[in-house]
Amino acid sequence: MATIIAMEFKKMMRSRGMRAALLAGALIVVLQTGWSFRHIYLENEQSYRKIAEWTYGDPGYGRWFECTILEGWLGCESFSSYNMLYFLILPILAVMPYGLSFYNEWQSTYSAQIIVRCGRGKYLWAKYLATFISGGIAAALPLLLSLLLSACYLPAIPTDPVSLQTVLMDRSMWAFLYFEHPVCYALAYTGLDFVYGGLFACITMTAARWLRNRFGAAMLPVLLHCIGYYCIYNLLPETESYLFSLYLDPNQSWGMVGEISTGPVVLTTVLLAAAVTGIFIGSNRKRDVLTD
Amino acid sequence: MNKKWIAWICAGILVLGLAGRIWYVNQNARLPEINRVPQGESAVWSGLKFQITHAELWDYEEFYKAYDAESHMFEGELSSEWDAKVIVLEFRIDRIEEEADTLNIVNPIVYVHTRNDTDTFLTAAINPNLQEGTFRSGETIRIPYTIFEFNIGRQNWKKVENMTMQYTVRLGNYPVRNEMLVTDIEKM
């Protein structure tokens, strides 16, 4: 089992899709960091230099705030459009590295060769694990890179609600971490996005069996994401806690979405993971390697 | 020395450089000096001396009935799903510096991780001396802050209802942050 897993991981890390996904993610991070450095950090520094000149009558008198690490982090910086762009294309980035690998291998009958050598169960689980991790890496690594770059010019101090530089409300999910331990919030949310990146890749891998069209299978997660965000939420707003489209973004829609909380998020994630895993393993357990 | 070693050394230098930079940024964060003022004591800000002389917590509807404050811009928006209350703080304000010619009463109240600004319309409605322009140094002003359950969630709302919520009025933030603690609140 270890050999086949190691082989799948090696293939996954060396795939062109992984390089392309990480490059695209890194590009967004670099552009966003440049933007926030110029428009958030330098603007705030400019205000800081004026503090001494302000007198009682000035509207900014005594009201200067130090920027915090989350204001420059791709996950929570919402003044530019990079956050929205990143979380819109996140399902595509997640699918790029290895989402279609299983489909390609099955079509080329490479799968048949591996199944004969190591057994179907081992191959399926190794493929599932590698695909899940590939999607997670593609989704989470840009967020970690952004956090690292943000930490290079913004301090990891608690977020002050008075500063009006916050994106969450007190009743938002993990608000305590957001306000008191911003780095922990960023890491916890990166973990959540890692899981969803993995699930997106696995959704594509599972659906490719029936869709037959590679492009259609690759686009399925982003389609589900958009359906959840733009369609289901508007038609049935009470389902908000169970729509991954709404809680993937650490901004949590600026805290305006009412009831996102840990319980429903965990429940949805576990059910989705169980469904995807079950369908993938179940549908491929007795699948004919040559004719199907 | 082979290429692998050079790559490891470069990576090590990069990691040390990043760690050093992050340490420097955090060591040099410009945090304000915090001045906590217990209720009843005074704090000086923008040339004025502020003292909280009384605090009371009202049910939303009761407050509007008592003050007949119909000019409030948010009135009527309260949904049946979420509750609201109004905390009214009475401030005595003294001018202590001649050049302080602005009555700066737009000071936020903070509880849990939420802020509320002064509602200027409502403040004017319940303070005739502000509306008529007769306010003088040494007089008191009653400043109401509307607290919405919607903002803080049901768990924290229980603290508001059983009077255990911690409130702080902020006067400025930098270089000195005055935090006026509101601890003695009368339930109306």
Side-chain angles (χ1 to χ4, degrees):
Chain A
M1 185 71 175
T3 316
I4 182 79
I5 289 176
M7 191 178 78
E8 286 297 333
F9 270 69
K10 205 177 275 183
K11 269 162 53 187
M12 175 261 283
M13 292 308 292
R14 288 176 179 174
S15 67
R16 276 185 294 176
M18 178 61 93
R19 281 180 219 158
L22 292 182
L23 203 65
L27 184 67
I28 292 173
V29 168
V30 169
L31 290 173
Q32 184 270 338
T33 302
W35 191 94
S36 60
F37 183 82
R38 212 166 52 245
H39 295 283
I40 295 174
Y41 174 74
L42 290 182
E43 288 287 329
N44 201 43
E45 288 300 297
Q46 210 170 3
S47 299
Y48 180 73
R49 283 193 286 272
K50 289 180 185 165
I51 288 174
E53 299 162 20
W54 283 339
T55 55
Y56 302 142
D58 288 313
Y61 173 76
R63 292 204 167 94
W64 182 83
F65 292 86
E66 179 74 284
C67 284
T68 71
I69 188 167
L70 292 184
E71 287 171 64
W73 183 49
L74 177 63
C76 285
E77 186 277 298
S78 309
F79 295 113
S80 71
S81 48
Y82 293 107
N83 167 278
M84 189 168 271
L85 171 69
Y86 183 74
F87 285 97
L88 181 66
I89 66 164
L90 186 140
I92 301 174
L93 292 179
V95 165
M96 278 167 73
Y98 220 50
L100 290 167
S101 159
F102 182 69
Y103 174 87
N104 292 334
E105 289 181 5
W106 203 278
Q107 291 298 312
S108 67
T109 67
Y110 172 85
S111 300
Q113 304 294 325
I114 298 292
I115 287 170
V116 166
R117 282 164 176 79
C118 73
R120 185 182 289 255
K122 284 179 185 172
Y123 173 66
L124 290 180
W125 280 110
K127 185 57 88 180
Y128 188 87
L129 204 61
T131 305
F132 182 88
I133 300 289
S134 74
I137 289 173
L141 219 53
L143 291 172
L144 286 178
L145 177 66
S146 176
L147 188 68
L148 188 67
L149 291 179
S150 184
C152 288
Y153 65 99
L154 296 173
I157 54 174
T159 312
D160 190 338
V162 177
S163 68
L164 289 179
Q165 293 161 187
T166 61
V167 291
L168 295 196
M169 297 165 87
D170 228 325
R171 69 196 176 91
S172 303
M173 183 172 71
W174 305 341
F176 172 74
L177 286 181
Y178 175 82
F179 285 104
E180 302 290 336
H181 307 286
V183 175
C184 294
Y185 178 80
L187 293 176
Y189 233 101
T190 303
L192 182 68
D193 288 335
F194 178 94
V195 171
Y196 272 90
L199 287 176
F200 287 143
C202 291
I203 286 172
T204 287
M205 179 174 68
T206 306
R209 175 178 178 179
W210 292 285
L211 290 176
R212 303 276 176 192
N213 178 310
R214 283 199 296 181
F215 181 75
M219 289 297 124
L220 183 65
V222 79
L223 188 69
L224 293 174
H225 182 47
C226 291
I227 288 172
Y229 199 96
Y230 298 106
C231 183
I232 299 176
Y233 176 57
N234 285 315
L235 290 173
L236 304 161
E238 61 274 16
T239 60
E240 61 197 6
S241 322
Y242 300 92
L243 287 176
F244 61 78
S245 316
L246 293 176
Y247 57 71
L248 273 185
D249 185 350
N251 275 333
Q252 298 180 43
S253 303
W254 283 73
M256 293 315 290
V257 174
E259 295 292 326
I260 293 177
S261 56
T262 312
V265 168
V266 170
L267 181 70
T268 310
T269 309
V270 169
L271 287 178
L272 187 64
V276 174
T277 313
I279 294 171
F280 175 72
I281 299 294
S283 64
N284 290 294
R285 204 157 46 99
K286 290 183 177 171
R287 188 178 172 192
D288 193 318
V289 288
L290 293 175
T291 57
D292 199 3
Chain B
M1 198 183 289
N2 61 22
K3 281 182 186 172
K4 206 172 179 181
W5 273 103
I6 294 171
W8 277 110
I9 290 168
C10 289
I13 291 169
L14 186 69
V15 168
L16 280 177
L18 281 173
R21 174 67 192 165
I22 292 167
W23 180 82
Y24 173 82
V25 166
N26 284 286
Q27 287 298 308
N28 290 282
R30 290 153 299 190
L31 300 174
E33 177 194 331
I34 294 173
N35 177 31
R36 287 203 175 87
V37 182
Q39 187 170 341
E41 292 184 17
S42 51
V44 175
W45 189 64
S46 69
L48 304 171
K49 191 167 82 177
F50 293 80
Q51 182 191 12
I52 297 174
T53 53
H54 185 66
E56 53 196 43
L57 186 73
W58 291 77
D59 281 333
Y60 189 79
E61 287 83 7
E62 293 298 317
F63 173 80
Y64 282 95
K65 274 184 216 156
Y67 282 92
D68 193 26
E70 290 182 1
S71 63
H72 180 37
M73 58 183 171
F74 286 120
E75 199 198 8
E77 284 191 9
L78 194 62
S79 77
S80 55
E81 192 186 349
W82 301 98
D83 203 354
K85 289 197 183 288
V86 180
I87 185 165
V88 181
L89 303 181
E90 188 179 87
F91 286 88
R92 179 196 157 109
I93 303 173
D94 295 88
R95 184 160 82 165
I96 57 166
E97 287 183 28
E98 279 303 309
E99 60 266 36
D101 55 1
T102 307
L103 179 59
N104 198 339
I105 54 166
V106 185
N107 301 313
I109 191 169
V110 181
Y111 44 99
V112 221
H113 302 109
T114 302
R115 64 170 280 163
N116 274 40
D117 272 315
T118 309
D119 181 334
T120 48
F121 292 98
L122 192 53
T123 304
I126 68 167
N127 289 283
N129 53 358
L130 286 182
Q131 262 187 342
E132 293 155 13
T134 58
F135 176 82
R136 292 289 175 270
S137 173
E139 291 184 9
T140 57
I141 290 177
R142 294 166 72 78
I143 301 181
Y145 298 92
T146 311
I147 299 163
F148 293 100
E149 183 186 5
F150 176 82
N151 287 332
I152 59 175
R154 301 200 196 281
Q155 287 294 320
N156 287 319
W157 187 249
K158 285 178 191 159
K159 291 184 190 169
V160 174
E161 286 191 317
N162 61 27
M163 308 285 284
T164 54
M165 179 62 85
Q166 308 260 312
Y167 301 93
T168 309
V169 175
R170 290 275 194 91
L171 304 179
N173 184 65
Y174 196 86
V176 178
R177 177 194 291 174
N178 292 295
E179 294 186 351
M180 300 192 78
L181 309 177
V182 185
T183 45
D184 184 15
I185 305 168
E186 186 184 354
K187 194 166 190 177
M188 304 302 286

